[in-house]
Amino acid sequence: MEKSKIQEDILTKAQQLSERMAYARSCKRLLCNKQILAYLFKEFIEEYKQLSPEEIVKYLGNGTKETIAYISNHDVCVRGTMISFDMLFEAMLPSRNQSQLFNIEFQMDIIERLPTMKICRKTSKVFDA
């Protein structure tokens, strides 16, 4: 490869990374809004299906009335590792008087430019090694 081709490849990769980071920031700004997040919880999480979005908002997060506050972006509970989260937050389960951690990850799918989102429950465990 000649020098200009290598520089062009580096520039292309940097542009792609910048676009992905901008996408993730936009998703976080949008989905930290409790009213928007409530519709996703109603649709995809069994414990919230019977509730209205207005009721679900009361169970979400620990932040202001309109947005959730993230608990953390990194987990280092296993020595020597660091797990990064896009959005990790706490929500109360309506059927029980306990909270659950939820992790929402934003990703660009294999098909170029098709965004995907994964909502995962996370059980909080502390490992002592």
Side-chain angles (χ1 to χ4, degrees), residues 10 19 37 40-42 51 58 67 69 75 81 86 91 93 97 99 104 108 117 121:
I10 291 171
E19 288 174 6
L37 196 55
L40 293 172
F41 269 56
K42 180 172 180 58
L51 301 174
K58 298 173 190 171
T67 61
D75 184 357
T81 65
D86 285 342
L93 295 176
N97 194 18
S99 64
I104 298 180
M108 295 299 278
M117 180 181 69
R121 292 175 184 222

Side-chain angles (χ1 to χ4, degrees), residues 75-83:
D75 184 357
V76 290
C77 66
V78 177
R79 190 176 296 156
T81 65
M82 182 169 65
I83 302 168

Side-chain angles (χ1 to χ4, degrees), residues 25-43:
R25 281 191 306 271
S26 297
C27 288
K28 287 178 190 179
R29 275 195 303 270
L30 181 69
L31 290 177
C32 74
N33 183 298
K34 289 182 180 182
Q35 285 78 25
I36 293 171
L37 196 55
Y39 283 94
L40 293 172
F41 269 56
K42 180 172 180 58
E43 183 68 28

Side-chain angles (χ1 to χ4, degrees), residues 24-25 27-28 68-78 81-90 101-107 118-125 127:
R25 281 191 306 271
C27 288
K28 287 178 190 179
I68 61 165
Y70 310 139
I71 292 176
S72 175
N73 287 342
H74 302 290
D75 184 357
V76 290
C77 66
V78 177
T81 65
M82 182 169 65
I83 302 168
S84 295
F85 303 101
D86 285 342
M87 281 179 61
L88 180 65
F89 62 95
E90 198 170 25
L101 292 177
F102 287 89
N103 174 29
I104 298 180
E105 297 290 329
F106 317 106
Q107 301 166 0
K118 297 178 183 177
I119 301 176
C120 307
R121 292 175 184 222
K122 182 176 178 359
T123 305
S124 182
K125 293 183 180 177
F127 297 98

Side-chain angles (χ1 to χ4, degrees), residues 5-17:
K5 177 66 172 154
I6 293 172
Q7 289 172 335
E8 186 179 310
D9 288 348
I10 291 171
L11 204 55
T12 301
K13 296 284 187 200
Q15 179 66 30
Q16 290 171 346
L17 179 61

